[in-house]
Amino acid sequence: MTRLAVPICAATLDDAADAMRRAERGGADLLELRLDLLPAQAAEKLTPLAKAPVLATCRSRDEGGEADGGDAARAERLRTAVHAGAAYVDFEWAAWNRSPESRRVLADVLAPPAGVGRAKLVLSAHDFTGRPSELMTLAQALWASPAAVAKIAYRANGIADVFDALDILHTGAASKPTIALAMGEAGVISRLLARVLGAFCTFAALETGRSTAPGQPTLEQIKTLYRWDRTDAQTELFGVIGYPIAHSMSPAIHNAAFDATDYHGLYVPLLVEPESAAFDALLDGLMARHRWLRFRGLSVTIPHKENALRYTRAHGGAVEPLAGRIGAVNTIRFEADDTLTGRNTDYAAAIDAVCAALACRRSDLQ
């Protein structure tokens, strides 16, 4: 089961406790206590209040956190969280390798004497600048490590980077529970597809402005807009390609239609840089290496409608004649025989709007 985790970070213990309650009411099934962002004694005071399992994290500054002190000191804070009842602790892979003292401290609580609750170790690696050069090597090292859960998060500097996070989940999640996240707006789909791809968990902010990483959707968005509870490995995928894309109403419209018709689908935003090479990289990925993603169709908006026409033609796809005359495709369908069909629905909407305003038929416009 893929868990929906909400990071808990607040200025006071009372605020944090309130955030925990609201996260649980909103549907979170894992609470990440960000001890590096929370007041002192957070682990002892807050962990016993949780109904959902707790993931204790004390993130170092060099991997995006705010913890002061050395690795061993952070490991001690995690030890405290385990004794308070945390189900998981997250420690950085780099710190695990460089600090024998931290490994000893964590080993004491991860394999405790009988009668003491056992927590599971998440070993994590983060890169806030871009995709690590040896990404798959890093993933393999984490899968071979003592961790119960492997986590990799990095900034996606383009749509091509996002496919690597999806590949990690597709390759490794069956052998060891895995979290793979591409941070930033381009990587949002790595969060939205976590349940489809069987990730250990994904993270959602309690509300706007309280995210702990770039591109993190809110709990309400992922539960409601993006149909979290109605997606699984058999979900058929659709999306809208554009640059920018965050403003698009298409996910709200199409996912609402899926709800209304009980269709087993999910519609996601796809931020694709304006260059034609970026568009080609996305379509190449979906057509060749990633057919297992079960994408069935794409809406295309500015600035890629001409790219969509060019790509469909170049790859032997069928282009609706009028779309060819217009010079733009705004709808791509992936056919069962691995070919593409390109259409244009913009012209129909524009003409129908004019006809509605003039109270006339299309033929009257002649």
Side-chain angles (χ1 to χ4, degrees):
M1 180 192 77
T2 301
R3 297 152 183 82
L4 186 51
V6 172
I8 304 299
C9 43
T12 69
L13 292 175
D14 286 344
D15 287 346
D18 178 66
M20 291 169 61
R21 289 189 292 270
R22 289 191 289 131
E24 289 174 334
R25 286 198 301 269
D29 40 35
L30 185 65
L31 301 178
E32 184 189 32
L33 285 186
R34 282 294 302 267
L35 301 179
D36 56 304
L37 302 175
L38 287 165
Q41 298 182 314
E44 304 97 304
K45 298 292 186 181
L46 297 176
T47 305
L49 301 179
K51 296 178 181 177
V54 167
L55 165 64
T57 302
C58 191
R59 186 71 67 225
S60 63
R61 290 185 180 274
D62 57 351
E63 296 208 28
E66 295 293 335
D68 294 319
D71 296 332
R74 291 187 300 108
E76 288 288 355
R77 292 195 69 183
L78 295 177
R79 184 215 292 264
T80 300
V82 172
H83 283 294
Y88 301 90
V89 295
D90 180 333
F91 199 63
E92 298 87 356
W93 174 236
W96 175 268
N97 286 318
R98 70 182 173 232
S99 175
E101 176 63 15
S102 297
R103 293 197 298 272
R104 185 194 64 76
V105 169
L106 292 173
D108 286 348
V109 294
L110 296 172
V116 180
R118 184 186 180 104
K120 293 182 179 180
L121 174 65
V122 180
L123 285 177
S124 58
H126 306 81
D127 191 327
F128 286 84
T129 62
R131 176 195 180 280
S133 59
E134 300 294 332
L135 182 60
M136 192 54 69
T137 300
L138 174 60
Q140 290 167 346
L142 286 167
W143 291 329
S145 76
V149 180
K151 177 187 177 185
I152 296 177
Y154 61 90
R155 175 175 284 278
N157 290 319
I159 194 66
D161 290 346
V162 181
F163 281 122
D164 295 316
L166 306 183
D167 283 336
I168 288 171
L169 289 176
H170 183 63
T171 302
S175 58
K176 173 175 282 191
T178 301
I179 306 165
L181 299 170
M183 295 183 285
E185 188 180 352
V188 167
I189 61 167
S190 69
R191 301 177 184 277
L192 302 180
L193 301 186
R195 187 176 171 114
V196 173
L197 298 179
F200 172 76
C201 78
T202 196
F203 295 86
L206 182 58
E207 56 200 10
T208 302
R210 297 185 73 165
S211 64
T212 54
Q216 205 173 80
T218 67
L219 178 59
E220 181 179 9
Q221 286 172 334
I222 204 166
K223 287 282 284 187
T224 305
L225 172 57
Y226 293 110
R227 315 187 78 227
W228 178 261
D229 295 314
R230 302 183 69 178
T231 59
D232 56 32
Q234 301 306 311
T235 299
E236 297 192 329
L237 301 178
F238 303 82
V240 55
I241 302 172
Y243 191 94
I245 202 61
H247 68 287
S248 175
M249 292 296 292
S250 292
I253 293 168
H254 286 82
N255 285 322
F258 293 163
D259 283 336
T261 58
D262 199 29
Y263 183 80
H264 197 41
L266 176 65
Y267 189 103
V268 298
L270 296 161
L271 182 73
V272 178
E273 308 90 290
E275 297 77 18
S276 61
F279 182 92
D280 291 357
L282 172 64
L283 268 292
D284 288 347
L286 296 180
M287 289 292 292
R289 291 170 48 210
H290 301 87
R291 293 297 288 178
W292 46 264
L293 276 172
R294 299 174 62 85
F295 264 89
R296 297 295 183 251
L298 299 168
S299 306
V300 185
T301 188
I302 293 172
H304 289 299
K305 297 183 184 186
E306 293 178 3
N307 287 331
L309 174 62
R310 173 189 54 77
Y311 188 96
T312 303
R313 281 177 167 167
H315 289 78
V319 175
E320 178 190 35
L322 190 51
R325 289 172 55 196
I326 293 169
V329 159
N330 79 326
T331 304
I332 292 176
R333 176 172 165 172
F334 297 96
E335 305 295 351
D337 61 357
D338 292 340
T339 61
L340 298 174
T341 299
R343 295 184 173 87
N344 189 306
T345 64
D346 288 332
Y347 80 89
I351 291 176
D352 288 347
V354 171
C355 290
L358 297 178
C360 70
R361 298 167 299 179
R362 287 191 183 187
S363 59
D364 295 330
L365 296 178
Q366 300 298 326

